[in-house]
């Protein structure tokens, strides 16, 4: 048990794992980018354009403007989560890439950290691509968006670390179905992407508060609309603390799984 | 300078319910090829994994290049090359990329990595395959590429876990030739195998391992001299015939062993045995020189391993 509390030892070498992943990704990045972009844009079109005629403004925002910042965060979540579940699990188990790397000067800590960094980068990239669509579309306009990259990095790291915990426990690919249907999907629907949480029963709001995506969506919407509130600082702090804990734990769990 | 490259003292590894390595001592000296011979499950891979810093020790002390593997894994790993038992080439990358990306883990710069990649692909005769994907390679090519990958950092010690298992004779001989080439350049090799030919061909010194323990140690020749006599006869003799056979061989100095319907007779006086064959004309037999395999079977027994 105390192995899980030890601080991971991660140096600059973790970046080499990131580079390895980048090299493989560059081989098919076009398909990957299209995939990143297609889903959120579909949601925007379907819900935003399709539903907005039947839905009145929320918090003074047209419906499509309301959901755009949340979808951006959901995209970051999906990209980072896919990378650090299916992607990382494949590298760890089927391909034994981790095994190959840890007999070089890299440590397991660095391999796991490198994969988290990579998952975070995928999340960052997805959110950025969508922001680049939202701005000309007029769905996000505020000087606060200058802070968006920092938010994307943090959100990427958060979802990547969280997924890595699941990967450390996964006995097979099927296991991820639980994570996606019991954690990722509920987060997608109950983190304030599609509707405000304020009118939901108190217990749902409590559950939502414990969902990482909720805080990312709060910040994202605040930045996109420029309507900040002191509560956003708490959201950022929540994310930072959670990310640190999840990152720490996930690295130790991966180590525990691999080193026997 | 005369420090051994590896010095293992009483190293142990236990897993829940299994003692994979039960306290073994050995040394690997600079420039030699050292072999660990053992049947399935003997603890060979576990031992090698400990040397690589991959598996933590349950007990004992393990020094590599004079440093403790537990204290200085990074320094040690930087000077070591590893060919694992199971292929773990990167299937997302091409043949050449596998080497270049691996070189990066050792802080080798791009230009040097490209040069090393070209040279190593030449060495293992894969230059023409450099842009192929890994799944398109044959088993022998993958093994050669694994060997090349283990050499990107110009290691002082190369660890090979069953480098030729599952390969056809052509592929095996090519790999042996490469390993001999490596030895000539002064590399220290530590390999595991259950192929006796391989051990006899490549290793200067061996240990025979079973059930997590080392049973004996020496050069292939020493082991032969210590454990078996020069000639082996394998007689196709059932129970009845065996009795008769032993009667005929009574006066000849020998050792024998029965396994199923085969009687193995080890002797230094083959001529005497051959002269006696008219005494048991109905028994078919094979006469050959004793090999390391006989030593191996004698020490580890003939029963099947899981
Ligand atoms: N991670 C592990 N967990 C539990 N038991 C293990 C583990 N790794 C190895 N063992 C056990 O340790 C023993 C030695 O295994 P090892 O892989 O070292 O044998 P080996 O000599 O390399 O065999 P082979 O020739 O089949 O490769 C076996 O009984 C094996 O089941
Ligand atoms: Mg083995």
């Amino acid at each position: 048990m105390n192995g899980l509390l030890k601080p991971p030892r991660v140096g600059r070498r973790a970046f080499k794992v990131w580079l390895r992943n980048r090299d493989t990704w560059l081989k098919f990045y076009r398909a990957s980018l299209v995939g990143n972009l297609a889903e959120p844009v579909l949601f925007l079109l379907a819900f935003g354009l399709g539903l907005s005629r039947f839905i009145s403004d929320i918090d003074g925002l047209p419906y499509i403007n309301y959901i755009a910042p949340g979808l951006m965060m959901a995209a970051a979540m999906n990209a980072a989560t896919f990378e650090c579940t299916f992607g990382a699990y494949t590298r760890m188990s089927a391909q034994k890439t981790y095994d190959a790397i840890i007999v070089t000067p890299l440590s397991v800590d660095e391999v796991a950290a490198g994969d988290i960094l990579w998952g975070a980068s995928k999340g960052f990239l997805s959110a950025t691509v969508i922001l680049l669509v939202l701005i000309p579309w007029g769905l996000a306009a505020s000087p606060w968006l200058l802070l968006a990259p920092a938010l994307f990095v943090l959100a990427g790291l958060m979802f990547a670390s969280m997924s890595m915990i699941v990967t450390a426990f996964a006995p097979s690919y099927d296991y991820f179905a639980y994570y996606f249907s019991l954690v990722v999907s509920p987060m997608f629907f109950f983190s304030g992407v599609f509707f405000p949480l304020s009118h939901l029963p108190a217990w749902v709001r409590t559950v939502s508060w414990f969902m990482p995506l909720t805080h990312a969506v709060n910040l994202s919407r605040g930045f996109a609309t420029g309507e900040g509130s002191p509560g956003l600082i708490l959201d950022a702090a929540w994310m930072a603390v959670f990310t640190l804990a999840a990152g720490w734990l996930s690295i130790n769990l991966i180590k525990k799984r691999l080193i026997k | 300078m005369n420090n051994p490259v590896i010095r293992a003292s009483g190293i142990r590894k236990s897993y829940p319910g299994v003692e994979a390595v039960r306290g073994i001592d050995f040394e690997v000296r600079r420039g030699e090829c050292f072999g660990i011979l053992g049947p399935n499950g003997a603890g060979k891979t576990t031992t090698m994994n400990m040397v690589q810093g991959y598996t933590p020790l349950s007990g004992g002390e393990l020094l590599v290049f004079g440093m403790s593997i537990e204290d200085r894994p990074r320094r040690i790993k930087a000077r070591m090359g590893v060919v694992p038992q199971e292929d773990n080439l990167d299937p997302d990358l091409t043949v050449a990329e596998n080497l270049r990306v691996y070189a990066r883990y050792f802080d080798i710069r791009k230009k040097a990595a490209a040069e090393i990649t070209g040279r190593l692909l030449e060495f293992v005769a894969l230059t023409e395959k450099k842009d192929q994907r890994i799944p398109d390679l044959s088993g022998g090519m993958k093994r050669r590429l694994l060997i090349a990958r283990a050499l990107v950092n110009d290691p002082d010690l190369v660890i090979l876990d069953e480098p030729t298992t599952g390969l056809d004779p052509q592929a095996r001989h090519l790999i042996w030739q490469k390993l001999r080439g490596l030895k000539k350049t002064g590399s220290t090799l530590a390999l595991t195998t259950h192929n006796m030919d391989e051990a006899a061909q490549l290793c200067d010194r061996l240990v025979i391992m079973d059930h997590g323990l080392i049973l004996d140690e020496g050069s292939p020749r020493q082991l032969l001299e210590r454990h078996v006599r020069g000639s082996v006869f394998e007689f196709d003799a059932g129970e009845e015939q065996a009795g008769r056979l032993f009667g005929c061989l009574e006066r000849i100095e020998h050792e024998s062993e029965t396994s199923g319907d085969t009687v193995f007779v080890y002797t230094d006086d083959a001529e005497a045995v051959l002269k006696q064959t008219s005494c048991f004309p109905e028994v078919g037999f094979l006469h050959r020189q004793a090999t390391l395999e006989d030593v191996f079977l004698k020490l580890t027994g003939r029963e099947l391993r899981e």
Side-chain angles (χ1 to χ4, degrees), chain A residues 115-127:
Chain A
D115 253 8
I116 291 174
L117 278 181
W118 176 245
S121 305
K122 295 283 289 277
F124 176 87
L125 191 70
S126 275

Side-chain angles (χ1 to χ4, degrees), chain A residues 158-221:
Chain A
M158 177 172 74
F159 292 117
S161 308
M162 193 177 162
S163 308
M164 210 66 169
I165 295 178
V166 181
T167 298
F169 286 113
S172 71
Y173 287 104
D174 301 325
Y175 187 78
F176 295 125
Y178 291 112
Y179 182 57
F180 277 88
S181 47
L182 299 178
V183 179
V184 178
S185 296
M187 261 205 289
F188 184 54
F189 290 112
F190 292 94
S191 293
V193 175
F194 297 104
F195 45 82
L197 301 169
S198 47
H199 64 277
L200 293 174
W203 70 269
V204 180
R205 270 181 287 150
T206 305
V207 172
S208 292
W209 188 85
F210 284 100
M211 291 178 171
L213 183 59
T214 304
H215 305 280
V217 171
N218 286 347
L219 280 163
S220 176
R221 190 168 288 129

